[in-house]
Amino acid sequence: MSSNVEMTHGDMETGSAGGLERDFEKERLLASLTPPPATGSGAHSGDTSKSHGKAGMVLGGSSSSTGTEDSMRGKAIRMVACFVGLQASYITWGLVQERIVTKAYGEGDDAEFFPSSAFLVFGNRFLALFLAAAIVYWPWFGQEEGTGASSASVSGSCASRGLKAPLLQYAPASLSNILSSWAQYEALKYISFPTQVLSKSSKIIPVMLVGRLLHRKSYPWREYAEAAFITLGVTIFSLNEKAPKAGHEGGSDSILGYFLLALYLTCDSFTSQWQDKVFKKFHVSQFQMMLGINLCSIVFTGASLLQTGQGGTSWAFILRHPDAAQHVFLLSLSSATGQLFIFYTIKQFGAIIFTIMMTIRQMLSMILSCLIFAHPMAWPSFVGAMICFTTIGVRIHRNIQRGKPRKGSAAGSGGS
């Protein structure tokens, strides 16, 4: 979905393998469509009963404290695993993406750049399609672990296999997902990777615009103020880079880069909004969404590569440069695994924890990109970055406060 849900995905490219690179509206959407994080006595009852069972076998009795400790320890281990998995998948995805798009393969007169961003999108979707199909058609798909009960009874997702919704329902989100991924790759030819990463923070603006136009949503003034601060930070950062993008001199290239970035943000926002409609109307699961969008994407990108001849050109390029084939495979693999970590993290720990993890990933990606690819930054650029990440931090804190149970409520006393 990033369902892009790039829920994907972003970099969460939902239903796609691209990443995904991980926006906040998408995360909130996913949270509303998946079971709440395991908190309180009701959510932990299954784990606690299992722990009690083990304790009874060993000690001849049960210990609620031992069961709680085991449950908390297991949850902590899972959270660390999700954090490491998300960071490894999407930091790798971002760095490999920058390597493929911005650096030439070969040396001297034989040096050449990768010829087709559409081929990269196709490769990502191809791997993600097989991964999604394997999950959806797994014999125990849709059943709760150890109970045989359908997950539909818990989260509203469908336990039946297959797409559930008509294939045409996935097509609009697939097209916008393809365009957003293509624009993201192309934009790197004209703007730096740190600028692109930070600009993704401003996804909230097109998300709000599309939400207002498509769903007639209204937003509180705080949302507009935060969007304005993020835009200010991105602008300060972008205008204070010390040097233009290597190999692309002149203002026209920069303008084209920002146009492509705007196209990416707009299409990515539409993707999540359309997926929202499909989720609500057909009650598909996250993996069925992933399967449907990737299936459509394979058809669309495959037809485009055949019609333009870029498929053959890209394949010949890979044969000339075997290291490019390794990079393309690593790009697709890291994006596909990242999507699985996205789904699992949001289902187990909620959207807020996921948002914190992905915000850390953005900062780490920017730092590593600057170190590895030597992006020169002026001090105002760091000020702009701090404005963006501080605003994101305020949003996260507000949602944490909003999610805290009120004193004396059932949710607050459930864990006792």
Side-chain angles (χ1 to χ4, degrees):
M1 219 176 315
S2 344
S3 145
N4 279 250
V5 280
E6 135 188 300
M7 294 151 252
T8 18
H9 328 26
D11 303 285
M12 199 176 159
E13 297 182 12
T14 299
S16 74
L20 311 220
E21 339 253 275
R22 42 148 327 246
D23 62 76
F24 191 77
E25 284 297 318
K26 280 195 235 172
E27 294 141 19
R28 292 198 302 188
L29 167 61
L30 277 173
S32 68
L33 295 168
T34 53
T39 56
S41 59
H44 280 305
S45 59
D47 293 337
T48 304
S49 62
K50 293 177 184 178
S51 300
H52 287 175
K54 294 178 181 178
M57 292 171 63
V58 176
L59 302 176
S62 64
S63 170
S64 60
S65 61
T66 301
T68 301
E69 289 175 2
D70 290 345
S71 177
M72 292 302 295
R73 186 182 298 112
K75 184 176 181 180
I77 292 174
R78 293 196 304 272
M79 183 178 293
V80 171
C82 288
F83 177 82
V84 173
L86 282 171
Q87 305 306 312
S89 296
Y90 280 110
I91 289 176
T92 299
W93 176 81
L95 294 177
V96 173
Q97 171 193 223
E98 185 171 9
R99 168 62 185 90
I100 294 175
V101 176
T102 65
K103 304 296 180 182
Y105 289 88
E107 299 179 355
D109 295 337
D110 296 329
E112 53 184 337
F113 288 89
F114 198 89
S116 174
S117 295
F119 186 85
L120 297 178
V121 178
F122 177 84
N124 286 352
R125 303 306 181 268
F126 188 80
L127 183 58
L129 174 64
F130 280 93
L131 184 60
I135 295 173
V136 171
Y137 290 100
W138 184 255
W140 296 280
F141 172 71
Q143 293 184 340
E144 290 296 299
E145 183 180 357
T147 65
S150 170
S151 63
S153 63
V154 178
S155 64
S157 59
C158 177
S160 62
R161 302 176 199 171
L163 294 176
K164 185 83 185 295
L167 188 60
L168 285 178
Q169 292 293 327
Y170 298 102
S174 173
L175 282 172
S176 61
N177 185 255
I178 291 171
L179 281 174
S180 67
S181 299
W182 174 86
Q184 181 178 212
Y185 293 133
E186 286 293 308
L188 276 179
K189 298 177 181 178
Y190 307 103
I191 60 176
S192 71
F193 180 77
T195 297
Q196 185 188 83
V197 169
L198 196 63
S199 297
K200 290 179 181 180
S201 302
S202 60
K203 279 182 182 180
I204 182 177
I205 300 171
V207 165
M208 291 169 68
L209 291 176
V210 174
R212 190 170 183 83
L213 294 174
L214 200 62
H215 298 296
R216 307 299 182 191
K217 292 182 179 179
S218 60
Y219 301 91
W221 65 269
R222 286 192 303 266
E223 301 274 350
Y224 294 103
E226 288 165 352
F229 273 110
I230 290 175
T231 302
L232 174 64
V234 172
T235 302
I236 293 174
F237 183 92
S238 303
L239 294 179
N240 286 279
E241 286 190 274
K242 285 186 175 179
K245 184 74 172 153
H248 296 276
E249 299 177 356
S252 60
D253 285 339
S254 296
I255 292 174
L256 177 57
Y258 287 113
F259 171 79
L260 289 168
L261 194 57
L263 177 63
Y264 158 72
L265 293 173
T266 302
C267 291
D268 195 51
S269 301
F270 175 84
T271 299
S272 63
Q273 299 288 351
W274 186 270
Q275 287 170 332
D276 187 13
K277 295 181 65 173
V278 176
F279 273 123
K280 291 178 179 178
K281 184 175 181 179
F282 297 97
H283 304 290
V284 300
S285 74
Q286 304 98 314
F287 299 109
Q288 287 168 323
M289 177 69 73
M290 187 175 173
L291 175 63
I293 288 183
N294 281 306
L295 186 58
C296 291
S297 296
I298 285 293
V299 174
F300 294 145
T301 55
S304 173
L305 291 173
L306 289 175
Q307 193 273 329
T308 60
Q310 291 184 11
T313 301
S314 299
W315 187 253
F317 181 93
I318 286 176
L319 293 178
R320 291 195 302 272
H321 304 284
D323 51 338
Q326 297 174 8
H327 292 157
V328 171
F329 176 77
L330 185 57
L331 182 76
S332 301
L333 180 63
S334 59
S335 179
T337 56
Q339 288 186 44
L340 295 181
F341 278 111
I342 284 173
F343 292 130
Y344 186 81
T345 301
I346 294 178
K347 180 177 181 180
Q348 293 294 318
F349 307 107
I352 293 176
I353 294 297
F354 171 76
T355 304
I356 294 173
M357 291 182 180
M358 293 303 281
T359 300
I360 293 173
R361 193 275 303 177
Q362 283 185 314
M363 292 188 286
L364 291 177
S365 293
M366 287 180 59
I367 293 171
L368 289 175
S369 178
C370 289
L371 292 176
I372 295 174
F373 297 101
H375 297 293
M377 298 293 166
W379 69 264
S381 294
F382 293 99
V383 174
M386 287 304 300
I387 292 175
C388 288
F389 287 122
T390 300
T391 305
I392 294 172
V394 170
R395 288 173 60 83
I396 293 173
H397 180 266
R398 189 177 70 247
N399 281 273
I400 291 176
Q401 295 300 115
R402 184 186 302 165
K404 282 185 176 180
R406 295 179 180 177
K407 189 175 182 180
S409 65
S413 60
S416 58

